[in-house]
Amino acid sequence: MKNVEGYLNNSRKSKGALLFVLIDSENDGATSAHSLAREAEKFGASAILVGGSSATDQMTMAETVKKIKSSVRIPVILFPGNVTGVVPGADAILFSSLLNSENPYFISQAQALGAPNVLKFGLEPLPTAYIIIGEGTTVWHVGSVRTIPFDKAGLAAMYALSAQFMGMRFAYLEAGSGAKSNVRPEMVAAVRKLFKGFLIVGGGIRDSKTAAEIVRAGADAIVIGTFIEKGGSFKTVSDIVKTIQSIKR
Ligand code: 1GP
């Protein structure tokens, strides 16, 4: 797909808030990654994200992306945790800077190392401010994160405003895969006030009530990974899609 950014912005306008399904390329669950992706599309997901902070096997990732790409029509977007997450065959990449990392590697160095392959593989870069909330998750550990507590909405909003000023067109508020708590709606609302771009929220979302609160607070898309990977019902996924698409901003 050409112009994934245009597709996402148009879908946001025409459908309401969107669901992205995250598939870990090293998913070893009972259902294959491409079958999960196909189901996700059937039940209303608008994009498939492939990646994860501990997915480091580039060959498996490339193979998984290829299979998913041939199984769905919605865009396949890489969600890299490191340079190893840059592989051919996807439509686009969340070209992210982990703004609240204490390690410059995750803010700009991995990006410099990964950029030539983004160009070489013809991936559409979606400039994304990646902001991790809370602590104790894998992404928090791997990304050397300077913790933003769940109740410090103002801190997240400061980072989001800086992303706005730096020209990033996407921001991703991340509680971490399998997080016990999701990002609170109050924080989403504080970020929404200042960030004008496409706002993605993920981590620990498993039901339509939570998804609805986050969307009402201003998210353009929510991300669900663990719930689906662990065999959560697609009926719930379908309810989530219907609920978030019915919320008008
Ligand atoms: C993780 O935000 C995503 O990067 C999805 O989180 O796996 O908790 O749904 P979950």
Side-chain angles (χ1 to χ4, degrees):
M1 179 187 284
K2 296 268 173 281
N3 192 7
V4 172
E5 184 169 354
Y7 157 85
L8 294 175
N9 284 319
N10 289 337
S11 305
R12 169 70 183 101
K13 277 192 204 118
S14 61
K15 288 192 196 167
L18 310 178
L19 170 70
F20 296 167
V21 168
L22 170 64
I23 295 185
D24 188 331
S25 56
E26 289 167 21
N27 149 59
D28 51 4
T31 315
S32 66
H34 62 284
S35 308
L36 284 181
R38 200 180 297 133
E39 289 292 292
E41 177 179 50
K42 192 167 112 194
F43 287 96
S46 291
I48 303 292
L49 303 185
V50 185
S53 46
S54 55
T56 50
D57 180 344
Q58 212 164 8
M59 299 217 290
T60 303
M61 172 106 52
E63 195 53 37
T64 307
V65 165
K66 201 169 143 197
K67 282 193 188 148
I68 294 176
K69 189 66 199 139
S70 62
S71 309
V72 298
R73 296 175 61 185
I74 51 176
V76 178
I77 303 173
L78 300 178
F79 176 39
N82 210 323
V83 287
T84 48
V86 184
V87 298
D91 298 292
I93 179 167
L94 291 183
F95 198 79
S96 316
S97 174
L98 205 183
L99 292 188
N100 62 321
S101 178
E102 290 189 329
N103 182 348
Y105 178 80
F106 292 105
I107 305 169
S108 63
Q109 291 169 4
Q111 292 72 6
L113 290 169
N117 279 343
V118 171
L119 186 65
K120 184 171 162 190
F121 300 154
L123 303 164
E124 180 185 338
L126 306 174
T128 305
Y130 194 42
I131 304 165
I132 294 175
I133 314 302
E135 59 186 29
T137 56
T138 304
V139 71
W140 170 85
H141 174 87
V142 173
S144 310
V145 168
R146 184 171 178 90
T147 305
I148 298 176
F150 281 101
D151 61 354
K152 296 281 183 199
L155 290 178
M158 277 161 46
Y159 279 99
L161 185 59
S162 77
Q164 174 77 24
F165 291 164
M166 287 191 280
M168 292 165 165
R169 298 190 294 278
F170 293 76
Y172 189 149
L173 283 181
E174 169 75 278
S177 198
K180 290 189 191 86
S181 338
N182 51 274
V183 176
R184 294 185 189 167
E186 297 74 21
M187 183 179 276
V188 177
V191 165
R192 178 75 287 169
K193 259 190 169 167
L194 299 171
F195 184 71
K196 309 294 175 222
F198 194 98
L199 178 57
I200 306 168
V201 179
I205 303 171
R206 305 173 189 88
D207 58 74
S208 32
K209 183 173 172 282
T210 308
E213 286 168 358
I214 290 172
V215 166
R216 261 188 225 106
D220 295 306
I222 59 153
V223 182
I224 296 188
T226 306
F227 176 79
I228 292 172
E229 205 174 295
K230 292 215 153 76
S233 97
F234 274 96
K235 159 88 176 62
T236 306
V237 175
S238 163
D239 285 348
I240 290 174
V241 170
K242 283 187 197 129
T243 308
I244 63 175
Q245 290 189 348
S246 69
I247 297 167
K248 299 287 167 241
R249 232 198 15 241

